[in-house]
Amino acid sequence: MFGATACAVAVALAVAYAGLRWGVLVAGGSDSYGYVSQAELWRRGTLIVRQEIVRQTPWPNAAETWTPLGYRPSPHVRAAYVPMYAPGLALLMAAAQAIAGFCAAFAIVPLCGALTVWLTFVLGRRLFAPPRIAVSGAVLVAASPVFLYQVMNAMSDVPTTAFWTLALVLATARRPFASGMAMAVAIAIRPNLAPLAAVIAAWIAISDPVRAQRWRSMMRFAAGTMPAVIGIAWLNARLYESPFTSGYGATADLYSLHYFAANVTNYASWLAEVETPIVALAAVYLALPTLDPPPQLRATRLLAGGTIAVMLLSYLFYRPFDVWWYLRFLLPMWPVMMLATAAGIEEIASRLGRAADEPRIAALAMTAIVALVAAHHLRFVSARNVFDLGRTERKYIDVSRFVAAHTEPDAVILSHQHSGSLRLYADRLTLRFDILEPDWLDRTLTWLQSVGRHPYIVLDGQEVERFRMRFASSPAGALALPPMGELNGVVFVYDALRREPGSSPLAISATRGARTVLPCDSPTVSRRSGG
């Protein structure tokens, strides 16, 4: 038992180290900027960011164009925007920042990754007698490519998984109120997973043999969970159109029966490619109660199978995506899925041991199978440069430093992917070119110049071609003159008012960050730009 515990601890610590050392510690894209900047808003005491420039703006959809990624215009306050994302992760980040400063926000996801691995082991020890099932489940979670990918990113998937698994562990420990509180945190992070609470409630109703105790336990679980449900409904009503509307919009805009076929195809193919077909053993084990090893708790298959079923139903009708790491939506089912997979592997290994009349064969076979799967996973993430994400995403820092050094404090930067990071790290107001009407580019540049705001353009990768296509009818949309700055042929900074050819573009310095754990850069500017 001590060896199993030590192994689980070591794997959990390795996950935390990987995330802190090689993870994305930059508030760059929509998710990371949205959560980290929202954490700052919580610490300021307001989630409404006012922008008076919207009132003066003459073009259509003015509020939308002045709203950075990760936010949406406020439906209640004119000339203001509000967070798009649920508050749970941002609140955890704000608490960490209150204790240890700005960079502490980026420690939340790696630490939740380590917690998920450890809790998978603890849950496995409660559900199954052989310790190697718990250890194998934890290893399979830790080595999972989509899990490792998300450990590297300041996004909500891993924290949601950690707190859902904590809710399961506490429920199986017969601590319903504490389980409800963990469920509440999971709901605050990702509200659309509130139906998962029904899985634990059903399990309590079936597994507790004493009728009176069963109802008390269910009420305690509900008492722990309800504050999050009520709180999210209140916040939705305050920030958005109604208690039932999230920052993403109305449910009808996100879910459709027409998405089912595409999502089934995507998730099935991604699971087979990324996690290997071995995860099908989870379905086999859960579907066949006669298979060994038998669970130690009543209705274990309801707990595990219910989690998987609710997660699949939550996303099979959701708007489809086309990249493998969107398996991240299903991550909360990973701990139970991997434990069920490990139980299936245990059944195969045990049969091999019995056939050879040598018990040690079973342990060796299981270790070998899990090691081979983990090795496949690590090769997969290495081939896709997952451990380089932290370095490549430093482009947001490097570009922001260049913009801060080479543009006026009152400049406006037309951008899309960098529309949030430039506000945070360069303290420059940004304007979303992807929302600006195509026939308004020239008039927008003229108006900005007339109000004393020099316009610049920052484009990342394929945004250059999209910009040219969107504004094909505009002379400025051709981007005929060389950029004023360039980062590795990927990110380009243009002076929108430049009319004569000048010198070659300045090379934007690409930094690697400190060679330490948590190599994070704090904003060094006053952030007058509203976010």
Side-chain angles (χ1 to χ4, degrees), residues 98-312:
I99 297 170
F102 174 83
C103 290
F106 297 101
I108 294 296
V109 172
L111 294 179
C112 283
L115 181 62
T116 299
V117 172
W118 171 249
L119 290 172
T120 301
F121 171 76
V122 174
L123 184 63
R125 292 295 293 132
R126 294 192 187 282
L127 299 182
F128 302 102
R132 59 178 176 250
I133 293 180
V135 174
S136 297
V139 170
L140 290 174
V141 169
S144 164
V146 66
F147 179 76
L148 283 174
Y149 189 93
Q150 291 311 120
V151 165
M152 302 293 159
N153 288 282
M155 298 168 70
S156 66
D157 308 280
V158 172
T160 305
T161 305
F163 281 96
W164 166 244
T165 311
L166 178 60
L168 291 175
V169 168
L170 292 170
T172 57
R174 302 297 180 186
R175 298 175 62 185
F177 181 71
S179 176
M181 292 179 66
M183 184 75 248
V185 178
I187 291 172
I189 297 172
R190 195 186 285 182
N192 70 313
L193 296 187
L196 278 175
V199 175
I200 292 180
W203 181 81
I204 292 173
I206 293 174
S207 64
D208 198 324
V210 181
R211 183 182 180 88
Q213 179 63 32
R214 180 187 312 162
W215 284 106
R216 282 196 296 268
S217 296
M218 291 177 67
M219 292 301 294
R220 289 172 183 165
F221 176 72
T225 302
M226 286 309 295
V229 176
I230 296 171
I232 291 295
W234 173 83
L235 189 64
N236 284 349
R238 180 169 176 78
L239 296 182
Y240 315 124
E241 288 81 2
S242 79
F244 308 104
T245 302
S246 72
Y248 293 98
T251 302
D253 298 331
L254 303 173
Y255 292 88
S256 172
L257 293 174
H258 300 295
Y259 297 153
F260 178 80
N263 280 325
V264 167
T265 301
N266 287 343
Y267 288 136
S269 61
W270 291 337
L271 275 171
E273 176 191 5
V274 177
E275 303 298 335
T276 78
I278 200 167
V279 294
L281 287 175
V284 174
Y285 178 81
L286 293 174
L288 300 176
T290 57
L291 291 181
D292 290 330
Q296 298 185 112
L297 296 179
R298 292 183 64 186
T300 289
R301 285 180 167 84
L302 168 64
L303 204 60
T307 297
I308 294 172
V310 170
M311 288 305 307
L312 290 174

Side-chain angles (χ1 to χ4, degrees), residues 13 91 156 176 260 328 465 531:
L13 291 176
L91 284 168
S156 66
F260 178 80
R328 67 188 181 87
E465 187 58 31

